Amino acid sequence: MTTNITAEEMAIQREFAQKAAALFAERGSPPKAHVHTFGCQQNVSDGEKIKGMLAEMGCGLSDTPDGADIIIFNTCAVRENAEDRVFGNLGALKHEKRRNPDVIIGVCGCMVQQEHIVERIRRSFPHVDLVFGTNALHTLPELIYGQLTERKRSFRIPGGDGVIAEGLPLRRESALKVSIPIMYGCNNFCTYCIVPYVRGRERSRRMEDIIAEAKSAIAGGAKELLLLGQNVNSYGKELGTDFPSLLREINALDGEFRICYMSSHPKDATRELIDTIAECEKVTRHFHLPVQSGSSRVLGLMNRRYTREDYLGIVNYIRERIPDAALTSDIIVGFPGETREDFEETLSLIREVGFDSLYTFIYSPRKGTKAASMPDPVSAEEKGEWFRELLEVQGEIGRGMYEKYVGQTLRVLCEGEGRTSSELLTGKTPQDVIVDFDGDRSLIGRFVSVKIERAYQWALVGKIIENLFS
Ligand code: 5AD
Ligand code: SF4
């Protein structure tokens, strides 16, 4: 069962934060905290809460672990290389601990929701002081206070289906582009995926809490709201509402801003949702719809609950209703039992759809998932070859993809200085395509009207035309 953390519990945590702040204050100079977040936007959003709580405890934030008083690794478990990276970084902290035995080292996030990982930390990383799971995030003040008063290793990984903790302080990464979690957890159990095991069951935030957060972000100058969930398309099921209703409510809020969302599951991408997006002018014209494979047989093994034909049906409907929409996707190569024929179906699907871009992954077995115990006869070398072939095919498809924008005038959110040169500004089109253009820095944070003049493989170059959007 999902637990809503009560206002009383949150107040207790705030008291711990104050007590920790008082202890830190006795030390003289304010403590420095370093938070390193690995993985997806959901984790980045958790990182903002961690930083918010640390700031409440009086900590300044530092970009580096060197010389920090508190170091927290907010981890990702989605693929083995994500975990390897965390262990590598964690190993390197041994020296830091030797140099400064007072440093508090904490590990949280998706990795530590797995028993074998916690065991490994317990045995092989004795310099780690704190391990806390995704359901214990809001208790960070209590855990830090515990470290300040009694230096004992502490492991807090509550089980259960997951919690919702409202009202945590936030230190946002950006005031312009704001992430708002709308739901947590996942019920889909795709057979390759660790997320349902580490993030618990699907649970949605109340619509009024989301709207209140959106309003306050807009009032604070936010121009892009990124609605987050493992599967936003199934938002609100247990509350008697749904994602299209939420989109309509947010779209109706006053102000100049755009609405993005991630991640989507094609099985829940209904016609009603696509119609709603077509009608909501503030919603991004970009569909990131992870297909994973072009073979219905493999999709069945993955427990994706749609076929190749279903997916193509959704794509056709998007193209019919929103002809200027951009489409991107995720692909897994080398799922257990995938044959050369299956893989060729993936190649044919990506040719048929013509995705704007792809996120491609080689299958990584995750302990405890169904796929991890399926026979997997194809060698790593062969999977590597398929992977390279996929990149080549997508490279060909992507070449010239952005030419269609040349000559168009698009509404662009100006996000900052250009990546290639500080002389230029950069922003994103309604399709989430990067565009660089000349202009004054005072335009940062505003919507501008840009005429596209040139297209490269990953970005556009354009010119601001006179009439600015407000
Ligand atoms: N191996 C490889 N890729 C994976 N993904 C999720 N789990 C795995 C895994 N075990 C990919 C999927 C998903 C994206 C976020 O990560 O493509 O959409
Ligand atoms: Fe990684 Fe998934 Fe956790 Fe995000 S939810 S941090 S992708 S395991």
Side-chain angles (χ1 to χ4, degrees):
M1 220 189 61
T2 301
T3 314
N4 284 292
I5 305 298
T6 60
E8 289 74 33
E9 170 65 9
M10 296 305 281
I12 291 171
Q13 291 302 326
R14 273 198 303 276
E15 271 171 36
F16 275 117
Q18 281 158 11
K19 288 201 278 187
L23 290 179
F24 279 133
E26 284 172 13
R27 291 182 174 186
S29 62
K32 269 193 295 176
H34 171 70
V35 180
H36 187 158
T37 292
F38 300 79
C40 67
Q41 284 299 323
Q42 191 78 247
N43 243 28
V44 173
S45 166
D46 283 350
E48 292 180 339
K49 293 175 181 166
I50 294 169
K51 288 179 181 172
M53 288 184 275
L54 289 167
E56 208 172 39
M57 289 179 246
C59 297
L61 295 171
S62 160
D63 286 341
T64 141
D66 301 335
D69 301 282
I70 300 177
I71 300 171
I72 297 201
F73 281 180
N74 182 22
T75 64
C76 170
V78 77
R79 281 173 292 276
E80 195 177 355
N81 58 8
E83 295 191 338
D84 289 346
R85 225 160 351 118
V86 170
F87 279 129
N89 279 274
L90 213 48
L93 289 186
K94 272 190 188 141
H95 308 292
E96 190 61 31
K97 187 78 167 187
R98 222 171 285 140
R99 223 163 45 90
N100 172 16
D102 286 341
V103 62
I104 299 173
I105 298 178
V107 184
C108 63
C110 294
M111 264 172 85
V112 305
Q113 290 296 130
Q114 305 171 93
E115 245 164 62
H116 67 281
I117 299 281
V118 175
E119 265 321 294
R120 188 165 161 194
I121 296 176
R122 209 188 282 275
R123 260 185 287 120
S124 309
F125 297 85
H127 55 295
V128 171
D129 305 292
L130 274 179
V131 177
F132 54 107
T134 49
N135 294 333
L137 195 77
H138 63 284
T139 68
L140 183 61
E142 182 181 350
L143 293 169
I144 296 285
Y145 179 75
Q147 287 298 310
L148 293 176
T149 47
E150 186 189 8
R151 290 237 64 179
K152 226 169 63 189
R153 292 188 95 186
S154 122
F155 292 76
R156 182 175 290 181
I157 300 131
D161 287 346
V163 303
I164 298 184
E166 290 292 348
L168 283 174
L170 285 174
R171 264 298 180 93
R172 294 212 189 265
E173 297 294 323
S174 154
L176 192 64
K177 298 163 64 158
V178 161
S179 298
I180 303 183
I182 63 168
M183 63 184 302
Y184 306 97
C186 181
N187 286 353
N188 292 321
F189 289 96
C190 301
T191 53
Y192 53 81
C193 189
I194 196 71
V195 170
Y197 302 92
V198 297
R199 286 269 175 186
R201 298 288 65 73
E202 258 175 36
R203 50 207 188 272
S204 300
R205 289 178 72 193
R206 292 183 322 162
M207 204 185 284
E208 44 289 29
D209 292 327
I210 298 169
I211 300 288
E213 187 170 343
K215 278 186 175 164
S216 114
I218 297 162
K223 298 291 174 190
E224 178 177 299
L225 307 182
L226 173 60
L227 310 180
L228 288 179
Q230 296 305 335
N231 177 19
V232 291
N233 298 354
S234 61
Y235 169 78
K237 274 186 184 154
E238 72 283 22
L239 301 176
T241 180
D242 57 19
F243 189 51
S245 309
L246 178 68
L247 281 180
R248 280 194 292 269
E249 291 278 334
I250 300 181
N251 191 67
L253 297 178
D254 286 337
E256 279 273 330
F257 61 93
R258 57 190 218 122
I259 305 167
C260 307
Y261 56 89
M262 68 190 302
S263 303
S264 290
H265 194 305
K267 81 175 165 53
D268 300 310
T270 58
R271 288 191 164 215
E272 191 207 348
L273 175 68
I274 296 162
D275 291 340
T276 305
I277 291 172
E279 284 149 24
C280 290
E281 75 290 351
K282 288 175 181 155
V283 177
T284 170
R285 266 44 196 146
H286 169 197
F287 286 81
H288 180 67
L289 267 186
V291 63
Q292 314 296 1
S293 168
S295 153
S296 293
R297 191 185 77 83
V298 172
L299 290 171
L301 292 173
M302 289 176 164
N303 189 32
R304 290 291 285 175
R305 285 177 277 172
Y306 55 84
T307 62
R308 174 191 177 98
E309 290 69 35
D310 296 334
Y311 188 85
L312 290 172
I314 299 165
V315 168
N316 284 339
Y317 192 67
I318 293 173
R319 293 255 152 92
E320 189 185 314
R321 293 289 279 121
I322 313 174
D324 63 341
L327 270 165
T328 59
S329 201
D330 294 347
I331 303 278
I332 296 178
V333 172
F335 183 82
E338 180 175 336
T339 62
R340 176 73 206 180
E341 290 70 39
D342 292 316
F343 173 64
E344 283 178 8
E345 287 200 54
T346 297
L347 293 181
S348 95
L349 179 115
I350 66 166
R351 284 199 174 99
E352 192 167 341
V353 175
F355 290 107
D356 290 66
S357 63
L358 283 183
Y359 297 85
T360 47
F361 309 101
I362 292 183
Y363 168 73
S364 167
R366 305 283 65 212
K367 204 176 166 142
T369 61
K370 252 194 178 161
S373 54
M374 292 180 184
D376 191 2
V378 175
S379 67
E381 289 72 40
E382 196 164 358
K383 289 183 183 186
E385 275 168 33
W386 293 358
F387 185 75
R388 281 187 291 278
E389 204 173 330
L390 176 69
L391 293 188
E392 255 170 50
V393 171
Q394 180 56 29
E396 276 163 37
I397 297 168
R399 213 165 295 135
M401 174 68 80
Y402 289 166
E403 290 294 334
K404 63 190 173 213
Y405 296 118
V406 173
Q408 292 187 19
T409 298
L410 300 171
R411 186 171 187 271
V412 170
L413 172 59
C414 180
E415 295 180 358
E417 285 179 357
R419 262 154 272 235
T420 46
S421 142
S422 59
E423 310 269 290
L424 291 177
L425 296 174
T426 194
K428 276 208 207 113
T429 73
Q431 295 80 12
D432 282 337
V433 179
I434 295 168
V435 47
D436 284 348
F437 46 92
D438 263 328
D440 192 87
R441 293 192 86 255
S442 63
L443 294 172
I444 293 171
R446 299 185 67 178
F447 286 95
V448 292
S449 172
V450 175
K451 182 156 186 200
I452 307 304
E453 296 182 322
R454 258 172 301 142
Y456 296 98
Q457 180 147 8
W458 298 112
L460 304 169
V461 174
K463 197 170 157 190
I464 296 189
I465 59 168
E466 281 316 301
N467 62 327
L468 291 181
F469 294 94
S470 67

